[in-house]
């Protein structure tokens, strides 16, 4: 009888470890210990720590609730706000630690690893495109100015959100999150 694959346990442990400790501070031993598997099991499923980080990025993206941006029953700006409120709650409930794995890996590893940089850029590009689509819908409804550059605004919102997470972590307070919502929804998208 064959042994059960431990890939799922290793992949989930890698996601948790990279998110909690970062890429450089996480060793393969940390991942396998967290997964409760022998170190050799890691290499049965991943060729390198970098490959497991790419898997972690993919898994993390699935937690960001992009589906909230496409819910047709809600007006576009309400969907956009609900998406960021969900992410903000996660930050607060986790005690202002971890931040966004995509942003964290982008800041920590992108200058040193082209494959991870490309994955981070791809993740941000896809996220910005989803935001842009919501802004286009809001324009079509007359909820925002027809002259709004939706692509530039989507990139700005995403960049502002990533900065908000960094500042909230440093501040250990909701003040940056509150400022993001006031500025974005009461000023920029008014």
């Amino acid at each position: 009888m064959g042994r059960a694959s431990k890939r799922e346990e290793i992949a989930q442990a890698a996601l948790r470890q990279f998110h909690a400790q970062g890429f450089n501070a996480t060793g393969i031993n940390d991942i396998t210990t967290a997964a409760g598997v022998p170190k050799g099991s890691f290499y049965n499923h991943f060729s390198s720590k970098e490959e497991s980080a790419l898997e972690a990025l993919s898994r993390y993206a699935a937690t960001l609730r992009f589906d909230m941006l496409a819910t047709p029953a809600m007006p576009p700006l309400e969907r956009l706000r609900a998406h960021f409120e969900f992410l903000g709650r996660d930050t607060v409930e986790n005690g202002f630690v971890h931040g966004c794995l995509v942003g964290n890996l982008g800041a920590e590893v992108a200058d040193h690893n082209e494959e991870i940089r490309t994955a981070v850029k791809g993740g941000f590009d896809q996220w910005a495109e989803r935001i842009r689509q919501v802004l286009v819908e809001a324009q079509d409804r007359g909820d925002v100015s027809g002259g709004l550059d939706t692509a530039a605004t989507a990139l700005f919102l995403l960049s502002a959100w990533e900065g908000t997470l960094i500042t909230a972590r440093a501040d250990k307070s909701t003040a940056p999150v509150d400022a993001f919502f006031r500025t974005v929804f009461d000023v920029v998208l008014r």
Side-chain angles (χ1 to χ4, degrees), residues 10 14 18 28 31-32 37-53:
I10 294 167
F18 290 135
I28 292 171
I31 295 168
T32 56
V37 301
K39 190 172 183 179
S41 294
F42 180 89
Y43 291 106
N44 289 333
H45 303 286
F46 297 98
S47 64
S48 64
K49 183 169 91 166
E50 289 79 6
E51 184 183 346
S52 69

Side-chain angles (χ1 to χ4, degrees), residues 2-142:
R3 295 167 69 185
S5 171
K6 297 294 182 180
R7 187 179 201 291
E8 183 62 25
E9 290 90 340
I10 294 167
Q12 287 297 333
L15 170 58
R16 288 190 308 273
Q17 293 301 306
F18 290 135
H19 203 195
Q21 298 177 176
F23 182 82
N24 292 321
T26 298
I28 292 171
N29 194 53
D30 297 317
I31 295 168
T32 56
T33 298
V37 301
K39 190 172 183 179
S41 294
F42 180 89
Y43 291 106
N44 289 333
H45 303 286
F46 297 98
S47 64
S48 64
K49 183 169 91 166
E50 289 79 6
E51 184 183 346
S52 69
L54 294 170
E55 173 79 15
L57 279 169
S58 176
R59 288 170 179 261
Y60 179 74
T63 71
L64 296 178
R65 296 291 316 271
F66 292 128
D67 60 302
M68 296 175 88
L69 294 172
T71 305
M74 290 176 69
L77 293 181
E78 286 181 31
R79 295 192 319 253
L80 186 63
R81 183 179 193 104
H83 173 67
F84 284 114
E85 285 174 345
F86 166 78
L87 298 174
R89 275 191 308 277
D90 184 60
T91 298
V92 173
E93 289 170 3
N94 283 306
F96 304 100
V97 296
H98 304 150
C100 171
L101 181 63
V102 183
N104 294 349
L105 288 180
E108 182 182 8
V109 186
D111 290 342
H112 313 291
N113 185 298
E114 184 61 23
E115 197 170 13
I116 292 175
R117 185 201 68 75
T118 300
V120 166
K121 181 185 180 324
F124 281 143
D125 288 349
Q126 290 174 13
W127 195 355
E129 176 56 22
R130 287 180 169 106
I131 294 169
R132 187 195 70 75
Q133 290 171 357
V134 172
L135 295 174
V136 167
E137 288 180 56
Q139 270 184 329
D140 291 346
R141 288 173 42 108

